[in-house]
Amino acid sequence: MTSTQEIKTAAASSAAFYADMDIPTAVYTKLEDTASRIHELGRRTTEQTFELGDHLAQVAAILPEGTFNRWVDIRCNLKARSARNYMAVFRNLGFCRDELVDLSVGSTVLFHLSSATEDRIVEAIAFANEAGRLKVADVKTIMASTNEDEDDGKRNDQFSVGGLTGLKALIALKSREGLKVFIDDIVAICRAIEEALSQKRVIKEALAKEVQDLSRVARLELTNLALFVETETELRCNARAMTFPKSSEWARVHDILYKLGGVEQWPKSGGMRDWLQLEVLPVLLWVVSKERKPKWPLERPTAAVASERAEISYLSEGAPDGVDEGAEPTAILAQINIVPPLAHEVEHDPSDEIDVNLSEEVELPTAVMA
């Protein structure tokens, strides 16, 4: 933390800067208040790293173009490169801020991670949860997997590597690619529902062609990604995927996808619009929300509803779409795998700060962007 004398000296030396820039009084007050907050932070914890990036982003938005580098040098004793790194952490890692704070990830690691794509960030967090820590070397290893040499047109055969290293790589591949496909499917369903709601009348048959099969696939993808395998206590036979806790939000997501997968379960035409607009779409948009902690859009279920939901969930797992109730769903169960986190552990010394570019925004349905 900067001493009081250093703060006063910096404030005095900035007077000429503000005079040269002809900064309005209101902006001057805001800048000085932000500078004081930055000096108080100390830039030590993960949370403070995010807070510092937030403060710097606010300053960058109100300073005249071309003056930011000089301001952070004079008022914050920060190099422009460091300031950009802090802002990138705030802007690019905000969606997983809570997880990174819980893991106490260091600022240098955050700088490297902020330049990764979103799926690599998720992969790195999964690795940190598994290993109990995240180092610069770990981030570099994860990010390097996107830059493998493909000049010879050959892909590294991950399905030939044995041992725990090979298994973790396969798990990471499944988690990364499976999550991406699942989100894409949910976004596609949302867009189809939004299009149907934009019409004067919701035509069930037309909407069913768009979302019925895709919802069945998405439900299986969710089960495959998020649930472990459960076996009965006697004889360890009839294995199936576990169910979400019956009163949980993800159980509701699962049930809505199950219902969307069978048009015969949909409300009558007169109730379709309300069902889609007030229940289905809000829940699916909650699934793909980029907020740190998206608010659940529906009322909490009662005990009776929760019990009914558990029965639906059990039936949907015991008899998947296209399988008779009495039939053994072997083909579906064969796809259900346990999905712990990832991949390789390579030890290296941490690197210095780096310049980063902001991650690209993922295009979401209209209601998400609103």
Side-chain angles (χ1 to χ4, degrees):
M1 184 176 295
T2 309
S3 68
T4 302
Q5 183 58 42
E6 288 173 327
I7 293 174
K8 290 180 178 179
T9 302
S13 65
S14 64
F17 168 80
Y18 291 122
D20 292 343
M21 295 298 105
D22 194 22
I23 301 294
T25 303
V27 176
Y28 168 86
T29 302
K30 171 67 174 176
L31 292 171
E32 286 302 291
D33 179 65
T34 303
S36 297
R37 293 176 182 274
I38 289 173
H39 285 297
E40 291 170 359
L41 283 175
R43 307 192 305 275
R44 291 172 183 161
T45 68
T46 308
E47 179 65 27
Q48 287 171 333
T49 299
F50 278 97
E51 290 180 15
L52 178 54
D54 187 4
H55 290 317
L56 291 171
Q58 293 179 41
V59 169
I62 62 176
L63 274 173
E65 186 176 356
T67 63
F68 177 77
N69 292 357
R70 185 180 171 196
W71 186 88
V72 294
D73 184 25
I74 294 174
R75 294 302 290 116
C76 305
N77 195 27
L78 274 174
K79 298 299 182 185
R81 181 176 65 179
S82 298
R84 289 195 297 271
N85 285 338
Y86 283 110
M87 288 191 293
V89 169
F90 170 71
R91 289 168 173 165
N92 300 346
L93 301 180
F95 74 95
C96 56
R97 178 172 177 169
D98 289 341
E99 293 90 335
L100 293 168
V101 170
D102 290 342
L103 290 165
S104 299
V105 178
S107 59
T108 304
V109 178
L110 293 174
F111 295 160
H112 283 77
L113 191 61
S114 66
S115 65
T117 58
E118 186 170 321
D119 58 332
R120 293 301 185 192
I121 294 169
V122 171
E123 185 176 336
I125 292 173
F127 174 84
N129 283 319
E130 172 81 4
R133 56 98 180 100
L134 188 64
K135 297 182 179 180
V136 170
D138 303 322
V139 175
K140 286 184 175 181
T141 300
I142 292 168
M143 292 176 64
S145 61
T146 63
N147 301 317
E148 294 178 354
D149 185 11
E150 297 180 352
D151 290 342
D152 58 359
K154 296 181 180 179
R155 179 185 175 187
N156 183 31
D157 188 4
Q158 299 182 63
F159 295 93
S160 299
V161 181
L164 291 178
T165 298
L167 180 59
K168 287 181 179 181
L170 291 179
I171 291 168
L173 176 65
K174 174 185 173 182
S175 179
R176 181 177 67 250
E177 300 301 327
L179 178 62
K180 186 187 304 182
V181 171
F182 173 70
I183 293 300
D184 287 346
D185 288 345
I186 295 297
V187 168
I189 294 170
C190 289
R191 286 175 175 158
I193 292 174
E194 287 180 335
E195 175 62 26
L197 290 172
S198 70
Q199 306 301 315
K200 186 174 181 180
R201 292 178 59 249
V202 176
I203 309 300
K204 291 175 66 173
E205 293 77 9
L207 182 60
K209 291 179 180 179
E210 295 290 331
V211 305
Q212 184 173 240
D213 292 342
L214 193 56
S215 297
R216 295 173 180 174
V217 172
R219 180 174 62 82
L220 291 176
E221 289 168 346
L222 176 60
T223 299
N224 203 345
L225 284 169
L227 296 174
F228 291 90
V229 171
E230 177 181 66
T231 56
E232 295 184 2
T233 55
E234 295 183 7
L235 303 179
R236 294 288 180 181
C237 59
N238 299 324
R240 64 170 181 263
M242 297 174 66
T243 59
F244 292 104
K246 60 185 180 181
S247 60
S248 70
E249 288 81 358
W250 283 103
R252 189 66 173 271
V253 173
H254 182 278
D255 296 343
I256 282 178
L257 290 173
Y258 178 75
K259 193 170 182 178
L260 281 173
V263 67
E264 66 280 355
Q265 303 178 79
W266 294 9
K268 294 182 178 180
S269 297
M272 278 292 297
R273 183 173 294 275
D274 284 347
W275 178 59
L276 293 173
Q277 201 163 36
L278 303 179
E279 180 178 353
V280 176
L281 191 58
V283 168
L284 296 185
L285 293 177
W286 177 84
V287 171
V288 297
S289 172
K290 284 193 168 187
E291 296 180 17
R292 289 171 58 195
K293 291 184 177 180
K295 182 179 179 181
W296 180 247
L298 307 181
E299 293 183 2
R300 302 293 175 181
T302 62
V305 173
S307 176
E308 179 183 356
R309 183 172 303 148
E311 180 66 19
I312 292 175
S313 181
Y314 176 85
L315 291 174
S316 68
E317 294 303 331
D321 302 310
V323 179
D324 295 335
E325 280 293 329
E328 182 178 354
T330 307
I332 298 300
L333 292 174
Q335 301 177 40
I336 300 173
N337 300 304
I338 298 176
V339 190
L342 40 118
H344 315 290
E345 300 183 16
V346 181
E347 298 295 337
H348 295 292
D349 293 330
S351 299
D352 293 328
E353 298 172 356
I354 57 170
D355 287 316
V356 295
N357 295 318
L358 303 184
S359 298
E360 295 181 357
E361 293 292 330
V362 177
E363 183 180 355
L364 295 177
T366 304
V368 179
M369 305 300 294

